[in-house]
Structures are given as structure tokens and as C-alpha cells.
Coordinates of all heavy atoms in Angstrom, one line a residue:
M1 N 127.1 130.5 95.0 CA 128.1 131.3 95.7 C 129.1 131.8 94.7 O 129.8 131.0 94.0 CB 128.7 130.5 96.8 CG 129.6 131.3 97.6 SD 129.8 130.2 99.1 CE 131.3 130.7 99.6
A2 N 129.3 133.1 94.6 CA 130.2 133.7 93.6 C 131.6 133.8 94.2 O 131.8 134.1 95.4 CB 129.7 135.1 93.2
R3 N 132.6 133.5 93.4 CA 134.0 133.7 93.9 C 134.4 135.1 93.8 O 134.0 135.9 92.9 CB 134.9 132.9 93.0 CG 134.8 131.4 93.2 CD 135.9 130.7 92.4 NE 135.8 129.3 92.6 CZ 136.5 128.4 92.0 NH1 137.4 128.8 91.1 NH2 136.4 127.2 92.2
P4 N 135.2 135.6 94.8 CA 135.6 137.0 94.7 C 136.7 137.2 93.6 O 137.5 136.3 93.4 CB 136.2 137.3 96.1 CG 136.5 135.9 96.6 CD 135.6 135.0 96.0
M5 N 136.6 138.3 92.9 CA 137.6 138.5 91.9 C 138.8 139.2 92.5 O 138.7 140.2 93.2 CB 137.0 139.5 90.8 CG 135.8 138.9 90.1 SD 136.3 137.5 89.0 CE 137.2 138.4 87.8
Y6 N 140.0 138.6 92.3 CA 141.2 139.1 92.8 C 141.9 139.8 91.7 O 142.0 139.3 90.6 CB 142.1 138.0 93.4 CG 141.5 137.4 94.6 CD1 140.9 136.1 94.5 CD2 141.5 138.1 95.8 CE1 140.4 135.5 95.6 CE2 140.9 137.5 96.9 CZ 140.4 136.2 96.8 OH 139.8 135.6 97.9
Q7 N 142.5 141.0 92.0 CA 143.2 141.7 91.0 C 144.7 141.3 91.1 O 145.2 141.3 92.2 CB 143.1 143.2 91.1 CG 141.8 143.7 90.7 CD 141.8 145.3 90.7 OE1 142.5 145.8 91.5 NE2 141.0 145.9 89.9
V8 N 145.3 141.0 90.0 CA 146.7 140.6 90.0 C 147.5 141.9 89.6 O 147.2 142.6 88.6 CB 147.0 139.6 88.9 CG1 148.5 139.2 88.9 CG2 146.2 138.3 89.2
P9 N 148.4 142.3 90.5 CA 149.1 143.6 90.2 C 150.0 143.4 88.9 O 150.7 142.4 88.8 CB 150.0 143.8 91.4 CG 150.1 142.5 92.1 CD 148.8 141.7 91.7
K10 N 150.0 144.4 88.1 CA 150.8 144.4 86.9 C 152.2 144.9 87.2 O 152.3 145.9 87.9 CB 150.1 145.2 85.8 CG 148.8 144.7 85.3 CD 148.3 145.5 84.1 CE 147.0 145.0 83.6 NZ 146.4 145.8 82.6
P11 N 153.2 144.3 86.6 CA 154.5 144.8 86.9 C 154.7 146.2 86.2 O 154.2 146.4 85.1 CB 155.4 143.7 86.3 CG 154.6 143.0 85.3 CD 153.2 143.1 85.8
R12 N 155.4 147.0 86.9 CA 155.7 148.3 86.3 C 156.8 148.2 85.3 O 157.6 147.3 85.3 CB 156.1 149.3 87.4 CG 154.9 149.7 88.4 CD 155.4 150.6 89.4 NE 156.2 149.8 90.4 CZ 157.2 150.3 91.1 NH1 157.6 151.5 90.9 NH2 157.9 149.5 91.9
K13 N 156.7 149.2 84.4 CA 157.8 149.2 83.3 C 159.1 149.5 84.0 O 159.2 150.3 84.8 CB 157.5 150.2 82.3 CG 156.3 149.9 81.4 CD 156.1 150.9 80.3 CE 154.9 150.5 79.4 NZ 154.7 151.5 78.4
N14 N 160.1 148.8 83.5 CA 161.5 149.0 84.0 C 161.6 148.7 85.5 O 162.5 149.3 86.1 CB 162.0 150.4 83.6 CG 162.0 150.6 82.2 OD1 162.2 149.7 81.4 ND2 161.8 151.9 81.7
A15 N 160.7 148.0 86.0 CA 160.8 147.7 87.5 C 162.0 146.8 87.8 O 162.7 147.0 88.8 CB 159.5 147.1 87.9
S16 N 162.2 145.8 87.0 CA 163.3 144.9 87.3 C 164.0 144.6 86.0 O 163.5 144.0 85.1 CB 162.8 143.6 87.9 OG 162.0 142.9 87.0
K17 N 165.2 145.2 85.9 CA 166.0 144.9 84.7 C 166.9 143.8 84.9 O 167.5 143.6 86.0 CB 166.9 146.2 84.3 CG 166.0 147.3 83.9 CD 166.9 148.5 83.4 CE 166.0 149.6 82.9 NZ 166.8 150.7 82.4
K18 N 167.0 142.9 83.9 CA 167.9 141.7 84.1 C 169.3 142.1 83.7 O 169.6 142.9 82.8 CB 167.4 140.6 83.1 CG 166.1 140.1 83.5 CD 165.6 139.0 82.6 CE 164.3 138.5 82.9 NZ 163.8 137.5 82.0
V19 N 170.2 141.6 84.5 CA 171.6 141.9 84.3 C 172.2 140.7 83.6 O 172.1 139.5 84.1 CB 172.3 142.2 85.7 CG1 173.8 142.4 85.5 CG2 171.7 143.3 86.4
I20 N 173.0 141.0 82.5 CA 173.6 139.9 81.8 C 175.0 139.7 82.4 O 175.8 140.6 82.4 CB 173.7 140.2 80.3 CG1 172.2 140.4 79.8 CG2 174.4 139.1 79.5 CD1 172.2 140.9 78.3
D21 N 175.3 138.5 82.8 CA 176.6 138.2 83.4 C 177.7 138.1 82.3 O 178.8 138.5 82.5 CB 176.6 136.9 84.2 CG 175.7 137.1 85.5 OD1 175.5 138.3 85.9 OD2 175.2 136.1 86.0
T22 N 177.4 137.4 81.2 CA 178.4 137.2 80.2 C 178.2 138.2 79.0 O 177.0 138.5 78.7 CB 178.3 135.8 79.6 OG1 176.9 135.6 79.1 CG2 178.5 134.8 80.7
P23 N 179.2 138.7 78.4 CA 179.1 139.6 77.3 C 178.5 138.9 76.1 O 178.7 137.7 75.9 CB 180.5 140.1 77.1 CG 181.4 139.1 77.6 CD 180.6 138.5 78.8
I24 N 177.8 139.6 75.3 CA 177.2 139.1 74.1 C 178.3 139.0 73.0 O 179.0 139.9 72.8 CB 176.0 140.0 73.6 CG1 174.9 140.0 74.6 CG2 175.5 139.5 72.3 CD1 173.8 141.0 74.3
A25 N 178.4 137.8 72.4 CA 179.4 137.6 71.4 C 178.9 138.2 70.1 O 177.8 137.9 69.6 CB 179.7 136.1 71.2
K26 N 179.8 139.0 69.5 CA 179.5 139.5 68.2 C 179.9 138.6 67.1 O 180.9 137.8 67.2 CB 180.2 140.9 68.0 CG 179.7 142.0 68.8 CD 180.3 143.3 68.4 CE 179.7 144.4 69.1 NZ 180.3 145.7 68.6
C27 N 179.2 138.7 66.0 CA 179.6 137.8 64.8 C 180.9 138.4 64.2 O 181.0 139.6 64.1 CB 178.5 137.8 63.8 SG 177.0 137.0 64.4
K28 N 181.7 137.6 63.7 CA 182.9 138.0 63.1 C 182.6 138.5 61.7 O 181.7 137.9 61.0 CB 184.0 136.8 62.9 CG 184.5 136.4 64.2 CD 185.7 137.1 64.6 CE 186.3 136.5 65.9 NZ 187.5 137.2 66.3
K29 N 183.3 139.5 61.2 CA 183.0 140.0 59.8 C 183.7 139.0 58.8 O 184.9 138.7 58.9 CB 183.6 141.4 59.7 CG 183.3 141.9 58.3 CD 183.9 143.3 58.2 CE 183.6 143.9 56.8 NZ 184.1 145.2 56.7
V30 N 182.9 138.5 57.9 CA 183.4 137.6 56.9 C 183.5 138.3 55.6 O 182.5 138.9 55.1 CB 182.4 136.4 56.8 CG1 182.9 135.4 55.7 CG2 182.3 135.6 58.1
V31 N 184.7 138.3 55.0 CA 185.0 138.9 53.7 C 185.1 137.8 52.7 O 186.0 137.0 52.8 CB 186.2 139.8 53.8 CG1 186.4 140.5 52.4 CG2 186.0 140.9 54.8
L32 N 184.3 137.9 51.7 CA 184.3 136.8 50.7 C 185.2 137.3 49.5 O 185.1 138.5 49.1 CB 182.9 136.5 50.1 CG 182.0 136.0 51.2 CD1 180.6 135.9 50.6 CD2 182.4 134.6 51.7
N33 N 186.1 136.5 49.0 CA 186.9 136.9 47.8 C 186.1 136.6 46.6 O 185.0 136.1 46.6 CB 188.2 136.1 47.9 CG 188.1 134.6 47.8 OD1 187.1 134.1 47.5 ND2 189.1 134.0 48.3
F34 N 186.7 136.9 45.4 CA 186.0 136.8 44.2 C 185.7 135.4 43.8 O 184.7 135.1 43.2 CB 186.7 137.6 43.1 CG 186.5 139.0 43.1 CD1 187.5 139.8 43.7 CD2 185.4 139.6 42.7 CE1 187.4 141.2 43.7 CE2 185.2 141.0 42.8 CZ 186.2 141.8 43.3
V35 N 186.5 134.5 44.2 CA 186.3 133.1 43.9 C 185.1 132.6 44.6 O 184.2 131.9 44.0 CB 187.6 132.2 44.2 CG1 187.3 130.7 44.0 CG2 188.8 132.7 43.4
Q36 N 185.0 132.9 45.9 CA 183.8 132.5 46.7 C 182.5 133.1 46.1 O 181.5 132.5 46.1 CB 184.0 132.9 48.1 CG 185.1 132.1 48.8 CD 185.4 132.6 50.2 OE1 185.4 133.8 50.4 NE2 185.7 131.7 51.1
R37 N 182.6 134.4 45.7 CA 181.5 135.1 45.2 C 181.0 134.4 43.9 O 179.8 134.2 43.6 CB 181.8 136.5 44.9 CG 181.9 137.4 46.2 CD 182.4 138.7 45.9 NE 182.6 139.5 47.1 CZ 182.0 140.6 47.4 NH1 181.1 141.1 46.6 NH2 182.3 141.2 48.6
E38 N 182.0 134.0 43.1 CA 181.7 133.3 41.8 C 181.0 132.0 42.1 O 180.1 131.6 41.4 CB 182.9 133.2 41.0 CG 182.6 132.7 39.6 CD 183.9 132.8 38.7 OE1 185.0 132.7 39.2 OE2 183.7 132.9 37.5
E39 N 181.5 131.3 43.1 CA 180.9 130.0 43.5 C 179.5 130.2 44.0 O 178.6 129.4 43.6 CB 181.7 129.3 44.7 CG 183.1 128.8 44.3 CD 183.9 128.3 45.4 OE1 183.4 128.4 46.6 OE2 185.0 127.9 45.2
I40 N 179.2 131.2 44.7 CA 177.9 131.5 45.2 C 176.9 131.7 44.0 O 175.8 131.2 44.0 CB 177.8 132.7 46.1 CG1 178.5 132.3 47.5 CG2 176.4 133.2 46.4 CD1 178.7 133.5 48.4
I41 N 177.4 132.5 43.0 CA 176.6 132.8 41.9 C 176.3 131.5 41.1 O 175.1 131.3 40.7 CB 177.2 133.9 41.0 CG1 177.2 135.2 41.7 CG2 176.5 134.0 39.7 CD1 178.1 136.3 41.1
T42 N 177.3 130.7 40.8 CA 177.1 129.5 40.1 C 176.2 128.5 40.8 O 175.4 127.8 40.2 CB 178.4 128.8 39.7 OG1 179.2 128.6 40.9 CG2 179.2 129.7 38.7
K43 N 176.4 128.4 42.1 CA 175.6 127.5 42.9 C 174.1 127.9 42.9 O 173.2 127.1 42.8 CB 176.1 127.4 44.4 CG 177.3 126.5 44.5 CD 177.7 126.4 45.9 CE 179.0 125.6 46.1 NZ 179.4 125.4 47.5
K44 N 173.9 129.2 42.9 CA 172.5 129.7 42.9 C 171.9 129.4 41.5 O 170.7 129.1 41.4 CB 172.5 131.2 43.2 CG 171.1 131.9 43.0 CD 170.1 131.4 44.0 CE 168.8 132.1 43.9 NZ 167.7 131.2 43.7
K45 N 172.7 129.6 40.4 CA 172.2 129.3 39.1 C 171.9 127.8 39.0 O 171.0 127.4 38.2 CB 173.2 129.7 38.1 CG 173.3 131.2 37.8 CD 174.3 131.5 36.8 CE 174.3 133.0 36.6 NZ 175.4 133.4 35.6
N46 N 172.6 126.9 39.7 CA 172.4 125.5 39.7 C 171.2 125.0 40.6 O 170.9 123.9 40.6 CB 173.7 124.7 40.0 CG 174.7 124.9 39.0 OD1 174.4 125.2 37.8 ND2 176.0 124.7 39.4
G47 N 170.6 126.0 41.3 CA 169.5 125.6 42.1 C 169.6 125.6 43.6 O 168.7 125.1 44.3
Y48 N 170.8 126.0 44.1 CA 171.0 126.0 45.6 C 170.1 127.0 46.2 O 169.8 128.1 45.7 CB 172.4 126.3 45.9 CG 173.3 125.1 46.0 CD1 173.8 124.5 44.8 CD2 173.7 124.5 47.2 CE1 174.6 123.4 44.9 CE2 174.5 123.4 47.2 CZ 175.0 122.9 46.1 OH 175.8 121.8 46.1
C49 N 169.6 126.7 47.4 CA 168.8 127.6 48.2 C 169.7 128.7 48.8 O 170.8 128.4 49.3 CB 168.1 126.8 49.3 SG 167.2 127.8 50.4
P50 N 169.3 130.0 48.7 CA 170.1 131.1 49.3 C 170.3 130.9 50.8 O 171.4 131.3 51.3 CB 169.3 132.3 49.0 CG 168.5 132.0 47.8 CD 168.2 130.5 48.0
K51 N 169.4 130.3 51.5 CA 169.5 130.1 52.9 C 170.6 129.2 53.2 O 171.4 129.3 54.2 CB 168.2 129.6 53.5 CG 168.1 129.7 55.0 CD 166.6 129.4 55.4 CE 166.4 129.8 56.8 NZ 165.0 129.6 57.3
K52 N 170.7 128.1 52.4 CA 171.8 127.1 52.6 C 173.2 127.7 52.2 O 174.2 127.5 52.9 CB 171.6 125.9 51.7 CG 172.7 124.9 51.7 CD 172.2 123.5 51.9 CE 173.3 122.5 51.8 NZ 174.4 122.6 52.7
L53 N 173.2 128.6 51.2 CA 174.4 129.3 50.9 C 174.9 130.2 52.0 O 176.1 130.3 52.3 CB 174.3 130.1 49.6 CG 174.1 129.2 48.3 CD1 173.7 130.2 47.1 CD2 175.4 128.5 48.0
A54 N 174.0 130.9 52.6 CA 174.3 131.8 53.7 C 174.9 131.0 54.9 O 175.9 131.4 55.5 CB 173.1 132.5 54.2
L55 N 174.4 129.8 55.2 CA 174.9 129.0 56.2 C 176.3 128.4 55.9 O 177.2 128.3 56.7 CB 174.0 127.8 56.5 CG 172.6 128.2 57.2 CD1 171.7 127.0 57.4 CD2 172.9 128.8 58.6
D56 N 176.5 128.0 54.6 CA 177.7 127.4 54.2 C 178.9 128.4 54.2 O 180.0 128.1 54.6 CB 177.6 126.9 52.7 CG 176.7 125.7 52.7 OD1 176.4 125.1 53.7 OD2 176.3 125.3 51.5
Y57 N 178.6 129.7 53.8 CA 179.6 130.7 53.8 C 179.7 131.6 55.0 O 180.4 132.5 55.1 CB 179.5 131.6 52.5 CG 179.8 130.8 51.3 CD1 178.9 130.2 50.5 CD2 181.2 130.7 50.9 CE1 179.2 129.4 49.4 CE2 181.5 130.0 49.7 CZ 180.5 129.4 49.0 OH 180.9 128.7 47.9
M58 N 178.8 131.3 56.0 CA 178.7 132.0 57.3 C 178.5 133.6 57.1 O 179.2 134.4 57.7 CB 179.9 131.8 58.1 CG 180.0 130.3 58.6 SD 181.4 130.0 59.7 CE 182.8 130.2 58.6
V59 N 177.6 133.9 56.2 CA 177.2 135.3 55.9 C 175.7 135.4 56.1 O 175.0 134.4 56.1 CB 177.7 135.8 54.6 CG1 179.2 135.9 54.5 CG2 177.2 135.0 53.4
G60 N 175.2 136.6 56.1 CA 173.8 136.8 56.2 C 173.1 136.6 54.9 O 173.7 136.6 53.8
L61 N 171.8 136.4 55.0 CA 171.0 136.1 53.8 C 171.0 137.3 52.8 O 171.0 137.2 51.6 CB 169.6 135.7 54.2 CG 168.7 135.1 53.2 CD1 169.3 133.8 52.6 CD2 167.3 134.7 53.8
S62 N 170.9 138.5 53.4 CA 170.9 139.7 52.6 C 172.2 139.8 51.8 O 172.3 140.3 50.7 CB 170.7 140.9 53.4 OG 171.7 141.1 54.4
T63 N 173.4 139.4 52.4 CA 174.6 139.4 51.7 C 174.6 138.5 50.5 O 175.1 138.8 49.4 CB 175.8 138.9 52.6 OG1 175.8 139.8 53.8 CG2 177.1 139.0 52.0
I64 N 174.0 137.3 50.6 CA 173.9 136.4 49.5 C 173.0 137.0 48.4 O 173.4 136.9 47.2 CB 173.2 135.0 49.9 CG1 174.1 134.3 51.0 CG2 172.9 134.1 48.8 CD1 175.5 133.9 50.4
Y65 N 171.9 137.6 48.7 CA 171.1 138.3 47.7 C 171.8 139.4 47.1 O 171.7 139.7 45.8 CB 169.8 138.7 48.3 CG 168.8 137.6 48.6 CD1 168.3 137.3 49.8 CD2 168.3 136.8 47.5 CE1 167.4 136.3 50.0 CE2 167.4 135.8 47.7 CZ 167.0 135.5 49.0 OH 166.1 134.5 49.2
D66 N 172.6 140.2 47.8 CA 173.4 141.3 47.2 C 174.4 140.7 46.2 O 174.6 141.3 45.2 CB 174.1 142.1 48.3 CG 173.1 142.9 49.1 OD1 172.0 143.2 48.7 OD2 173.5 143.4 50.2
I67 N 175.1 139.7 46.6 CA 176.1 139.1 45.7 C 175.4 138.6 44.4 O 176.0 138.8 43.3 CB 176.8 137.9 46.4 CG1 177.7 138.5 47.5 CG2 177.6 137.1 45.5 CD1 178.3 137.5 48.4
I68 N 174.3 138.0 44.6 CA 173.6 137.4 43.4 C 173.1 138.6 42.5 O 173.2 138.5 41.3 CB 172.4 136.6 43.8 CG1 172.9 135.3 44.5 CG2 171.5 136.2 42.6 CD1 171.8 134.5 45.2
A69 N 172.6 139.7 43.1 CA 172.1 140.8 42.3 C 173.2 141.6 41.6 O 173.1 141.9 40.4 CB 171.3 141.7 43.2
K70 N 174.3 141.9 42.4 CA 175.4 142.7 41.8 C 176.5 141.9 41.3 O 177.4 142.4 40.6 CB 175.9 143.7 42.9 CG 174.9 144.6 43.4 CD 175.5 145.5 44.4 CE 174.8 145.5 45.7 NZ 175.5 146.3 46.7
G71 N 176.6 140.6 41.7 CA 177.8 139.8 41.5 C 178.3 139.6 40.1 O 179.4 139.8 39.9
S72 N 177.4 139.3 39.2 CA 177.9 139.0 37.9 C 178.4 140.2 37.2 O 179.4 140.1 36.5 CB 176.7 138.3 37.1 OG 175.6 139.2 37.1
A73 N 177.8 141.4 37.5 CA 178.4 142.6 36.9 C 179.7 143.0 37.5 O 180.6 143.4 36.8 CB 177.4 143.7 37.1
E74 N 179.9 142.8 38.8 CA 181.1 143.0 39.5 C 182.2 142.1 39.0 O 183.4 142.6 38.7 CB 181.0 142.9 41.0 CG 180.4 144.0 41.7 CD 180.3 143.8 43.2 OE1 181.0 142.9 43.7 OE2 179.6 144.5 43.9
L75 N 181.9 140.8 38.8 CA 182.9 139.9 38.4 C 183.4 140.1 37.0 O 184.6 140.1 36.7 CB 182.4 138.5 38.6 CG 182.3 138.0 40.0 CD1 181.6 136.6 40.0 CD2 183.6 137.9 40.7
S76 N 182.4 140.5 36.1 CA 182.8 140.7 34.7 C 183.7 142.0 34.6 O 184.6 142.1 33.9 CB 181.6 140.8 33.8 OG 180.8 141.9 34.2
K77 N 183.4 143.0 35.4 CA 184.1 144.2 35.5 C 185.5 144.0 36.0 O 186.5 144.5 35.5 CB 183.5 145.3 36.3 CG 184.2 146.6 36.4 CD 183.4 147.6 37.2 CE 184.0 149.0 37.2 NZ 185.2 149.1 38.0
F78 N 185.6 143.1 37.0 CA 186.9 142.8 37.6 C 187.8 142.0 36.6 O 189.0 142.3 36.4 CB 186.8 141.9 38.8 CG 188.1 141.5 39.5 CD1 188.8 142.4 40.2 CD2 188.6 140.2 39.3 CE1 190.0 142.0 40.8 CE2 189.8 139.8 39.8 CZ 190.5 140.7 40.6
R79 N 187.2 141.1 35.8 CA 187.9 140.4 34.8 C 188.4 141.3 33.7 O 189.5 141.1 33.2 CB 187.0 139.3 34.2 CG 186.8 138.1 35.1 CD 186.2 137.0 34.4 NE 185.9 135.9 35.4 CZ 184.6 135.5 35.7 NH1 183.6 136.1 35.1 NH2 184.4 134.6 36.5
T80 N 187.6 142.3 33.3 CA 188.1 143.2 32.2 C 189.2 144.1 32.7 O 190.1 144.4 32.0 CB 186.9 144.0 31.6 OG1 186.3 144.7 32.7 CG2 185.9 143.1 30.9
D81 N 189.1 144.5 34.0 CA 190.1 145.4 34.5 C 191.4 144.7 34.8 O 192.5 145.3 34.7 CB 189.6 146.1 35.8 CG 188.5 147.1 35.6 OD1 188.3 147.4 34.4 OD2 187.8 147.5 36.5
N82 N 191.3 143.4 35.2 CA 192.5 142.6 35.6 C 192.6 141.4 34.7 O 192.3 140.3 35.2 CB 192.5 142.3 37.0 CG 192.3 143.5 37.9 OD1 193.1 144.4 37.7 ND2 191.4 143.4 38.8
P83 N 193.0 141.4 33.5 CA 193.0 140.2 32.6 C 194.1 139.2 33.0 O 194.0 138.0 32.7 CB 193.3 140.8 31.2 CG 193.9 142.1 31.4 CD 193.4 142.6 32.7
D84 N 195.1 139.7 33.7 CA 196.2 138.8 34.1 C 196.0 138.1 35.5 O 196.9 137.4 36.0 CB 197.6 139.5 34.1 CG 197.9 140.0 32.7 OD1 197.5 139.4 31.7 OD2 198.6 141.1 32.6
S85 N 194.9 138.3 36.1 CA 194.7 137.8 37.5 C 194.5 136.3 37.4 O 194.2 135.7 36.3 CB 193.5 138.5 38.1 OG 192.3 138.1 37.5
A86 N 194.6 135.6 38.5 CA 194.5 134.2 38.6 C 193.0 133.8 38.5 O 192.7 132.6 38.1 CB 195.0 133.7 39.9
I87 N 192.1 134.7 38.7 CA 190.7 134.4 38.6 C 190.3 134.5 37.1 O 190.5 135.6 36.5 CB 189.8 135.4 39.4 CG1 190.3 135.4 40.9 CG2 188.4 135.1 39.3 CD1 189.7 136.5 41.7
S88 N 189.8 133.4 36.6 CA 189.5 133.5 35.1 C 188.1 133.0 34.9 O 187.4 132.7 35.7 CB 190.4 132.6 34.3 OG 190.6 131.4 34.9

């Protein structure tokens, strides 16, 4: 005896949109100063994982990679432009 095949109706697109009761929280913009950038570069040279650095400084992983890629050139330029600054 064969079982009858039942068709399951597929939901239509946009048939039921979910309403969000609470607003989505945006991430705060984190601005790193030159001391923190220098710490990131030295920690990366010492073997820290970029993912851990991103979590420690509460920034994105791409920000860490950007700081590592451009950071040493930016910091050396800042030092030559501002020799009397507290950052040495």
C-alpha cells in the first residue's frame, strides 16, 4: 500500500516580516592614539595573534591589519614631524 504524497506549501517571499522590538545597538567608534598603535605593532612583532589584538583594543580585525601595514611608516613620519612630542 503506497502512502499518498502530500505537498507542503512553500512560504511566499516577504509573506511575514519579523518586527524588531528593540533597536539594534551600533558599535562605538574607537579611535586609537599613537601609543596604542605602537603597542599593537610591537605586540604583533612579538607574536601576538591579530584576532586577540582586535579583541583587546575593541577594533575590527581589518583595522589591526591596516595599522600593522601602514603603522610603522606613519609612526616614523609622526616622530620626524614632531620631535618634541611625548611619544618617543
Side-chain angles (χ1 to χ4, degrees):
M1 186 162 154
R3 290 187 177 174
M5 295 292 290
Y6 294 104
Q7 286 187 334
V8 178
K10 292 183 181 178
R12 289 180 285 149
K13 289 184 180 179
N14 300 328
S16 63
K17 292 186 177 182
K18 294 181 182 178
V19 178
I20 300 174
D21 294 337
T22 58
I24 298 172
K26 288 189 173 182
C27 293
K28 295 271 185 179
K29 183 177 179 182
V30 177
V31 179
L32 299 173
N33 59 22
F34 283 101
V35 174
Q36 291 171 325
R37 289 172 186 239
E38 192 171 27
E39 288 174 0
I40 289 172
I41 292 169
T42 54
K43 285 182 179 181
K44 175 65 177 128
K45 286 181 182 176
N46 291 337
Y48 272 76
C49 175
K51 197 170 192 178
K52 174 136 175 55
L53 290 172
L55 290 174
D56 290 346
Y57 289 95
M58 293 183 291
V59 294
L61 194 57
S62 60
T63 305
I64 296 294
Y65 284 118
D66 288 344
I67 290 171
I68 292 167
K70 300 182 235 175
S72 52
E74 280 183 15
L75 288 174
S76 63
K77 183 177 184 286
F78 180 78
R79 285 191 187 113
T80 57
D81 292 345
N82 305 310
D84 297 331
S85 71
I87 304 169
S88 49

